[in-house]
Coordinates of all heavy atoms in Angstrom, one line a residue:
M1 N -40.7 152.6 100.6 CA -39.9 151.8 99.6 C -39.8 150.4 100.1 O -39.5 150.1 101.3 CB -38.5 152.4 99.6 CG -37.5 151.7 98.7 SD -35.9 152.5 98.4 CE -35.2 152.3 100.0
I2 N -39.9 149.4 99.2 CA -39.8 148.0 99.5 C -38.6 147.5 98.8 O -38.4 147.7 97.6 CB -41.1 147.2 99.1 CG1 -42.3 147.7 99.9 CG2 -40.8 145.7 99.3 CD1 -43.6 147.1 99.5
E3 N -37.7 146.8 99.6 CA -36.5 146.2 99.0 C -36.6 144.7 99.3 O -36.8 144.3 100.5 CB -35.3 146.8 99.6 CG -35.0 148.2 99.1 CD -33.6 148.6 99.5 OE1 -32.6 147.9 99.2 OE2 -33.5 149.7 100.2
H4 N -36.4 143.9 98.3 CA -36.4 142.4 98.5 C -34.9 141.9 98.7 O -34.0 142.6 98.3 CB -37.0 141.7 97.3 CG -38.5 142.1 97.1 ND1 -39.5 141.5 97.8 CD2 -39.1 143.0 96.3 CE1 -40.6 142.0 97.5 NE2 -40.4 142.9 96.6
G5 N -34.8 140.7 99.2 CA -33.5 140.1 99.3 C -32.7 140.6 100.5 O -31.5 140.3 100.5
K6 N -33.3 141.3 101.4 CA -32.5 141.8 102.6 C -32.8 140.8 103.8 O -34.0 140.4 104.0 CB -33.0 143.2 103.0 CG -32.7 144.2 101.9 CD -31.3 144.8 102.1 CE -31.1 146.0 101.2 NZ -29.8 146.6 101.4
T7 N -31.8 140.6 104.6 CA -32.0 139.8 105.8 C -31.6 140.6 107.0 O -30.4 141.0 107.1 CB -31.1 138.5 105.8 OG1 -31.5 137.7 104.6 CG2 -31.3 137.7 107.0
L8 N -32.6 140.9 107.8 CA -32.3 141.7 109.0 C -31.5 140.9 110.1 O -31.9 139.8 110.4 CB -33.7 142.2 109.6 CG -33.6 143.2 110.8 CD1 -34.7 144.2 110.7 CD2 -33.6 142.4 112.1
V9 N -30.5 141.5 110.6 CA -29.7 140.8 111.6 C -29.5 141.6 112.8 O -29.0 141.1 113.9 CB -28.3 140.5 111.0 CG1 -28.4 139.5 109.9 CG2 -27.5 141.7 110.5
H10 N -29.9 142.9 112.8 CA -29.6 143.8 114.0 C -30.6 144.9 114.1 O -31.1 145.4 113.0 CB -28.2 144.4 113.9 CG -27.8 145.3 115.0 ND1 -27.5 144.9 116.2 CD2 -27.7 146.7 115.0 CE1 -27.2 145.9 117.0 NE2 -27.4 147.0 116.3
A11 N -30.9 145.3 115.3 CA -31.9 146.5 115.5 C -31.5 147.2 116.7 O -31.2 146.5 117.7 CB -33.3 146.0 115.5
E12 N -31.6 148.5 116.7 CA -31.4 149.3 117.9 C -32.1 150.6 117.8 O -32.5 151.0 116.7 CB -29.9 149.5 118.1 CG -29.2 150.4 117.1 CD -27.7 150.5 117.2 OE1 -27.1 149.6 117.7 OE2 -27.2 151.6 116.8
T13 N -32.3 151.3 119.0 CA -32.9 152.6 118.9 C -31.8 153.6 119.0 O -30.8 153.4 119.7 CB -33.9 152.8 120.1 OG1 -33.3 152.5 121.3 CG2 -35.1 151.9 119.9
N14 N -32.0 154.7 118.3 CA -31.0 155.8 118.3 C -31.8 157.1 118.2 O -32.4 157.4 117.1 CB -30.0 155.6 117.1 CG -28.9 156.5 117.2 OD1 -29.0 157.7 117.7 ND2 -27.7 156.1 116.7
N15 N -31.7 158.0 119.2 CA -32.4 159.2 119.2 C -33.9 159.1 118.8 O -34.4 159.8 117.9 CB -31.7 160.2 118.3 CG -30.4 160.6 118.8 OD1 -30.2 160.7 120.0 ND2 -29.4 160.8 117.9
D16 N -34.6 158.2 119.4 CA -36.0 157.9 119.2 C -36.3 157.4 117.8 O -37.4 157.4 117.3 CB -36.9 159.2 119.4 CG -37.0 159.5 120.9 OD1 -36.8 158.6 121.7 OD2 -37.2 160.7 121.2
R17 N -35.3 156.9 117.1 CA -35.5 156.3 115.8 C -35.0 154.8 115.9 O -34.2 154.5 116.7 CB -34.8 157.0 114.7 CG -35.2 158.5 114.6 CD -35.1 159.0 113.2 NE -36.2 158.5 112.4 CZ -36.2 158.5 111.1 NH1 -35.1 159.0 110.4 NH2 -37.2 158.1 110.4
V18 N -35.5 154.0 115.0 CA -35.0 152.6 114.9 C -34.0 152.5 113.8 O -34.2 153.0 112.7 CB -36.2 151.6 114.6 CG1 -35.6 150.2 114.6 CG2 -37.2 151.8 115.7
V19 N -32.8 151.9 114.1 CA -31.8 151.6 113.1 C -31.7 150.1 113.0 O -31.4 149.4 114.0 CB -30.5 152.3 113.5 CG1 -29.4 152.0 112.4 CG2 -30.6 153.8 113.8
V20 N -31.8 149.6 111.8 CA -31.7 148.2 111.6 C -30.5 147.9 110.7 O -30.2 148.7 109.8 CB -32.9 147.5 111.0 CG1 -34.1 147.7 112.0 CG2 -33.3 148.1 109.7
G21 N -29.9 146.8 110.9 CA -28.8 146.4 110.0 C -29.1 145.1 109.3 O -29.8 144.2 109.8
F22 N -28.6 145.0 108.1 CA -28.9 143.8 107.2 C -27.6 143.0 107.0 O -26.5 143.5 107.2 CB -29.5 144.2 105.9 CG -30.8 145.0 106.1 CD1 -30.9 146.3 106.0 CD2 -32.0 144.3 106.3 CE1 -32.1 147.0 106.2 CE2 -33.2 144.9 106.5 CZ -33.2 146.3 106.4
S23 N -27.8 141.8 106.6 CA -26.6 140.9 106.5 C -25.6 141.3 105.4 O -24.5 140.9 105.4 CB -27.1 139.4 106.1 OG -27.8 139.4 104.9
D24 N -26.1 142.2 104.5 CA -25.2 142.7 103.4 C -24.4 143.9 103.9 O -23.7 144.6 103.1 CB -26.0 143.0 102.1 CG -27.1 144.1 102.3 OD1 -27.2 144.6 103.4 OD2 -27.8 144.3 101.4
G25 N -24.6 144.3 105.1 CA -23.8 145.5 105.7 C -24.6 146.8 105.6 O -24.1 147.8 106.1
T26 N -25.7 146.8 104.9 CA -26.4 148.1 104.8 C -27.3 148.3 106.0 O -27.6 147.4 106.8 CB -27.3 148.1 103.5 OG1 -28.3 147.0 103.6 CG2 -26.5 148.0 102.3
T27 N -27.8 149.5 106.2 CA -28.6 149.9 107.3 C -29.8 150.7 106.8 O -29.8 151.2 105.7 CB -27.9 150.7 108.4 OG1 -27.4 151.9 107.8 CG2 -26.7 149.9 109.0
A28 N -30.8 150.8 107.7 CA -32.0 151.6 107.4 C -32.5 152.2 108.7 O -32.3 151.6 109.8 CB -33.1 150.8 106.7
R29 N -33.1 153.4 108.6 CA -33.7 154.0 109.8 C -35.2 154.3 109.6 O -35.6 154.4 108.5 CB -33.0 155.4 110.0 CG -31.6 155.3 110.3 CD -30.9 156.7 110.2 NE -29.5 156.6 110.4 CZ -28.9 156.7 111.6 NH1 -29.7 156.9 112.7 NH2 -27.6 156.5 111.8
G30 N -35.9 154.3 110.7 CA -37.3 154.5 110.6 C -37.9 154.9 112.0 O -37.2 154.9 113.0
D31 N -39.2 155.2 112.0 CA -39.9 155.6 113.2 C -40.3 154.3 114.0 O -40.3 154.4 115.3 CB -41.1 156.4 112.9 CG -40.8 157.8 112.3 OD1 -39.7 158.3 112.7 OD2 -41.5 158.2 111.4
I32 N -40.6 153.3 113.3 CA -41.0 152.1 114.0 C -40.5 150.9 113.2 O -40.1 151.0 112.1 CB -42.6 151.9 114.1 CG1 -43.2 151.8 112.8 CG2 -43.2 153.0 115.0 CD1 -44.7 151.5 112.8
L33 N -40.4 149.7 114.0 CA -39.9 148.5 113.3 C -41.1 147.5 113.5 O -41.5 147.2 114.6 CB -38.7 147.9 114.0 CG -38.2 146.5 113.6 CD1 -37.9 146.5 112.1 CD2 -37.0 146.1 114.5
V34 N -41.6 147.0 112.4 CA -42.7 146.0 112.4 C -42.1 144.6 112.1 O -41.5 144.5 111.0 CB -43.8 146.4 111.4 CG1 -44.8 145.3 111.4 CG2 -44.4 147.7 111.7
G35 N -42.2 143.7 113.0 CA -41.7 142.4 112.8 C -42.7 141.5 112.2 O -43.8 141.2 112.8
A36 N -42.5 141.1 110.9 CA -43.5 140.2 110.3 C -42.7 139.1 109.6 O -42.9 138.8 108.5 CB -44.3 141.0 109.2
D37 N -41.7 138.6 110.4 CA -40.7 137.7 109.8 C -40.9 136.2 110.3 O -39.9 135.5 110.4 CB -39.3 138.2 110.1 CG -39.0 138.6 111.5 OD1 -40.0 138.6 112.3 OD2 -37.9 138.8 111.9
G38 N -42.1 135.9 110.6 CA -42.5 134.5 110.8 C -42.3 133.9 112.1 O -42.0 134.6 113.1
L39 N -42.4 132.6 112.2 CA -42.5 131.9 113.4 C -41.2 132.0 114.3 O -41.2 132.2 115.5 CB -42.7 130.4 113.1 CG -42.8 129.4 114.3 CD1 -44.0 129.7 115.1 CD2 -42.9 128.0 113.8
R40 N -40.1 132.0 113.6 CA -38.8 132.1 114.3 C -38.2 133.6 114.1 O -37.1 133.8 113.7 CB -37.8 131.1 113.8 CG -38.4 129.7 114.0 CD -37.4 128.6 113.8 NE -38.1 127.3 113.7 CZ -38.6 126.6 114.8 NH1 -38.5 127.2 116.0 NH2 -39.2 125.5 114.7
S41 N -39.1 134.5 114.4 CA -38.8 135.9 114.1 C -37.5 136.4 114.7 O -37.3 136.4 115.9 CB -40.0 136.8 114.7 OG -39.7 138.1 114.7
T42 N -36.6 136.9 113.8 CA -35.4 137.6 114.3 C -35.8 138.9 115.1 O -35.2 139.2 116.1 CB -34.5 137.9 113.1 OG1 -34.2 136.7 112.4 CG2 -33.3 138.7 113.5
V43 N -36.8 139.6 114.6 CA -37.2 140.9 115.2 C -37.6 140.6 116.6 O -37.2 141.3 117.6 CB -38.3 141.6 114.4 CG1 -38.9 142.7 115.2 CG2 -37.8 142.1 113.1
R44 N -38.4 139.6 116.8 CA -38.9 139.2 118.1 C -37.7 138.9 119.1 O -37.7 139.3 120.2 CB -39.9 138.0 118.1 CG -40.5 137.6 119.4 CD -41.6 136.6 119.2 NE -42.2 136.2 120.4 CZ -41.9 135.1 121.1 NH1 -41.0 134.3 120.7 NH2 -42.6 134.8 122.2
Y45 N -36.8 138.1 118.6 CA -35.6 137.8 119.4 C -34.8 139.0 119.7 O -34.3 139.2 120.9 CB -34.7 136.8 118.6 CG -33.4 136.5 119.4 CD1 -33.4 135.7 120.5 CD2 -32.3 137.1 119.0 CE1 -32.3 135.5 121.2 CE2 -31.1 136.9 119.7 CZ -31.1 136.1 120.8 OH -30.0 135.9 121.5
L46 N -34.6 139.9 118.8 CA -33.8 141.1 119.1 C -34.5 142.0 120.1 O -33.8 142.6 120.9 CB -33.6 141.9 117.8 CG -32.7 141.3 116.7 CD1 -32.7 142.0 115.4 CD2 -31.3 141.2 117.3
I47 N -35.8 142.1 120.0 CA -36.6 142.9 121.0 C -36.6 142.3 122.4 O -36.4 143.0 123.4 CB -38.0 143.1 120.5 CG1 -38.0 144.0 119.3 CG2 -38.9 143.7 121.6 CD1 -39.4 144.2 118.6
D48 N -36.7 141.0 122.4 CA -36.8 140.3 123.7 C -36.1 138.9 123.6 O -36.7 137.9 123.4 CB -38.3 140.1 124.1 CG -38.5 139.5 125.5 OD1 -37.4 139.2 126.2 OD2 -39.6 139.2 125.9
P49 N -34.8 138.9 123.8 CA -34.0 137.6 123.7 C -34.5 136.6 124.7 O -34.2 135.4 124.4 CB -32.6 138.1 124.0 CG -32.6 139.6 123.8 CD -33.9 140.0 124.1
G50 N -35.1 137.0 125.8 CA -35.5 136.0 126.8 C -36.9 135.4 126.6 O -37.3 134.6 127.4
A51 N -37.5 135.9 125.5 CA -38.9 135.4 125.3 C -38.9 133.9 125.0 O -37.9 133.4 124.4 CB -39.5 136.1 124.1
P52 N -40.0 133.2 125.4 CA -40.0 131.7 125.1 C -39.9 131.5 123.6 O -40.5 132.2 122.8 CB -41.4 131.3 125.6 CG -41.8 132.4 126.6 CD -41.1 133.7 126.1
A53 N -39.2 130.4 123.2 CA -39.1 130.1 121.8 C -40.4 129.3 121.4 O -41.1 128.8 122.2 CB -37.9 129.1 121.6
P54 N -40.7 129.4 120.1 CA -41.9 128.6 119.6 C -41.7 127.1 119.9 O -40.6 126.6 119.9 CB -41.9 128.9 118.1 CG -40.8 129.8 117.8 CD -40.0 130.0 119.0
R55 N -42.8 126.5 120.2 CA -42.7 125.0 120.5 C -44.0 124.4 119.9 O -45.0 125.0 119.8 CB -42.7 124.8 122.0 CG -43.9 125.3 122.8 CD -43.8 125.1 124.3 NE -44.9 125.6 124.9 CZ -46.1 125.1 125.1 NH1 -46.3 123.8 124.6 NH2 -47.1 125.7 125.7
A56 N -43.8 123.1 119.6 CA -45.0 122.3 119.1 C -45.9 122.0 120.3 O -45.4 121.7 121.4 CB -44.5 121.0 118.5
T57 N -47.2 122.3 120.1 CA -48.1 122.0 121.1 C -48.8 120.6 121.1 O -49.4 120.2 122.0 CB -49.3 123.1 121.1 OG1 -50.0 122.9 119.8 CG2 -48.7 124.5 121.1
G58 N -48.6 119.9 119.9 CA -49.2 118.6 119.8 C -50.6 118.7 119.2 O -51.2 117.7 118.8
L59 N -51.1 120.0 119.0 CA -52.4 120.1 118.4 C -52.3 119.9 116.8 O -51.3 120.3 116.2 CB -53.0 121.5 118.6 CG -53.3 121.8 120.1 CD1 -53.7 123.3 120.3 CD2 -54.4 120.9 120.6
G60 N -53.3 119.3 116.3 CA -53.3 119.1 114.8 C -54.7 119.4 114.3 O -55.7 119.5 115.1
Y61 N -54.9 119.4 113.0 CA -56.3 119.6 112.5 C -56.4 118.8 111.1 O -55.4 118.6 110.5 CB -56.6 121.0 112.3 CG -55.8 121.8 111.3 CD1 -56.2 121.8 109.9 CD2 -54.6 122.4 111.7 CE1 -55.4 122.4 109.0 CE2 -53.8 123.0 110.7 CZ -54.2 123.1 109.4 OH -53.5 123.7 108.5
T62 N -57.6 118.5 110.8 CA -57.9 117.9 109.5 C -59.1 118.6 108.9 O -60.0 119.0 109.6 CB -58.3 116.4 109.7 OG1 -57.2 115.7 110.4 CG2 -58.5 115.7 108.3
F63 N -59.0 118.9 107.6 CA -60.2 119.5 107.0 C -60.4 118.9 105.6 O -59.5 118.2 105.1 CB -60.0 121.0 106.9 CG -58.7 121.4 106.1 CD1 -58.8 121.6 104.7 CD2 -57.5 121.7 106.7 CE1 -57.7 122.0 103.9 CE2 -56.4 122.0 105.9 CZ -56.5 122.2 104.6
G64 N -61.6 119.1 105.1 CA -62.0 118.6 103.8 C -63.3 119.2 103.3 O -63.8 120.1 104.0
V65 N -63.7 118.7 102.2 CA -65.0 119.2 101.6 C -66.0 118.1 101.5 O -65.7 117.0 101.0 CB -64.7 119.8 100.2 CG1 -66.1 120.3 99.6 CG2 -63.7 120.9 100.3
A66 N -67.2 118.3 102.1 CA -68.2 117.3 102.1 C -69.2 117.6 101.0 O -69.5 118.8 100.8 CB -69.0 117.2 103.4
P67 N -69.7 116.6 100.2 CA -70.6 116.9 99.1 C -71.9 117.4 99.6 O -72.6 118.1 98.9 CB -70.7 115.5 98.4 CG -70.3 114.5 99.4 CD -69.3 115.2 100.3
N68 N -72.4 117.0 100.8 CA -73.6 117.5 101.3 C -73.4 117.9 102.7 O -73.5 117.0 103.6 CB -74.7 116.4 101.2 CG -76.0 116.9 101.7 OD1 -76.2 118.0 102.2 ND2 -77.1 116.0 101.5
A69 N -73.2 119.2 103.0 CA -72.8 119.6 104.3 C -74.0 119.4 105.3 O -73.7 119.3 106.5 CB -72.5 121.1 104.3
W70 N -75.3 119.4 104.8 CA -76.4 119.2 105.7 C -76.4 117.8 106.3 O -77.0 117.6 107.4 CB -77.7 119.5 105.0 CG -77.9 120.9 104.5 CD1 -77.8 121.3 103.2 CD2 -78.0 122.0 105.3 NE1 -77.9 122.7 103.2 CE2 -78.1 123.1 104.5 CE3 -78.1 122.2 106.7 CZ2 -78.2 124.4 104.9 CZ3 -78.2 123.5 107.2 CH2 -78.3 124.6 106.3
A71 N -75.7 116.9 105.7 CA -75.7 115.5 106.2 C -74.7 115.4 107.4 O -74.8 114.4 108.1 CB -75.3 114.5 105.1
C72 N -73.9 116.4 107.6 CA -72.9 116.4 108.7 C -73.6 116.9 110.0 O -74.2 117.9 110.0 CB -71.7 117.2 108.3 SG -70.8 116.7 106.9
T73 N -73.4 116.2 111.0 CA -73.9 116.6 112.3 C -72.8 116.8 113.3 O -71.7 116.3 113.2 CB -74.9 115.7 112.9 OG1 -74.3 114.4 113.0 CG2 -76.1 115.6 112.0
Ligands
FAD1 C1 -46.2 123.3 105.2 C2 -47.1 124.4 105.7 C3 -48.5 124.4 105.3 C4 -49.3 125.4 105.8 N1 -50.6 125.4 105.5 C5 -51.4 126.4 105.9 C6 -52.8 126.4 105.5 O1 -53.3 125.6 104.7 N2 -53.6 127.4 106.0 C7 -53.1 128.4 106.8 O2 -53.9 129.2 107.2 N3 -51.8 128.4 107.2 C8 -51.0 127.4 106.8 N4 -49.7 127.4 107.2 C9 -49.2 128.4 108.1 C10 -48.9 129.7 107.4 O3 -48.0 129.4 106.4 C11 -48.3 130.7 108.4 O4 -49.2 130.8 109.6 C12 -48.1 132.0 107.8 O5 -47.4 131.9 106.6 C13 -47.4 132.9 108.8 O6 -47.3 134.2 108.1 P1 -46.2 135.2 108.6 O7 -46.4 136.4 107.7 O8 -46.3 135.5 110.1 O9 -44.8 134.5 108.4 P2 -44.1 133.9 107.1 O10 -45.1 133.5 106.0 O11 -43.2 132.8 107.6 O12 -43.3 135.1 106.4 C14 -42.1 135.6 107.1 C15 -41.3 136.3 106.0 O13 -40.2 136.9 106.7 C16 -39.0 136.6 106.0 N5 -37.9 136.7 107.0 C17 -37.6 135.9 108.0 N6 -36.6 136.3 108.7 C18 -36.2 137.4 108.1 C19 -35.1 138.4 108.4 N7 -34.2 138.2 109.4 N8 -35.0 139.4 107.6 C20 -35.8 139.6 106.5 N9 -36.9 138.8 106.2 C21 -37.0 137.7 107.0 C22 -39.1 135.2 105.4 O14 -38.3 135.0 104.4 C23 -40.6 135.3 105.0 O15 -40.7 135.8 103.7 C24 -48.8 126.4 106.7 C25 -47.4 126.4 107.0 C26 -46.6 125.4 106.6 C27 -45.1 125.4 107.0

């Protein structure tokens, strides 16, 4: 089941199951918790609060389309 509009705020294990809490006060249980909540992942923080925070590395990139790719070396 997929539910939209939920914000996860809490997670814990209970009898080998995962119990998560949402900002609206509801909870859900499951066998595993998959964190796919982006760069500043709440799930990642809940699992490991001491993990390094994301940081800018200074790396950048530029891309485009060339009319004649064979002319590029
Ligand atoms: C301006 C900009 C331009 C970009 N351009 C490109 C590009 O051209 N090509 C490219 O490859 N990449 C690009 N990226 C990077 C790309 O957007 C990310 O790498 C990619 O979206 C990461 O996907 P994700 O699924 O890990 O996280 P996200 O796409 O960030 O998805 C995370 C989801 O989790 C939700 N969420 C967060 N916290 C919670 C919570 N507590 N409870 C419930 N849900 C939550 C969020 O609402 C969001 O829907 C760009 C990024 C930005 C900001």
Side-chain angles (χ1 to χ4, degrees):
M1 178 173 68
I2 297 175
E3 289 190 54
H4 296 279
K6 297 273 190 178
T7 299
L8 184 143
V9 295
H10 178 74
E12 64 185 31
T13 54
N14 189 330
N15 294 327
D16 289 336
R17 303 210 73 197
V18 181
V19 182
V20 296
F22 300 99
S23 61
D24 61 4
T26 59
T27 59
R29 293 169 186 271
D31 294 324
I32 61 171
L33 171 62
V34 177
D37 50 352
L39 183 64
R40 305 188 190 286
S41 169
T42 298
V43 171
R44 182 170 183 261
Y45 174 76
L46 291 171
I47 291 173
D48 185 3
R55 63 182 174 84
T57 63
L59 294 174
Y61 65 90
T62 303
F63 59 88
V65 177
N68 183 353
W70 296 109
C72 299
T73 56

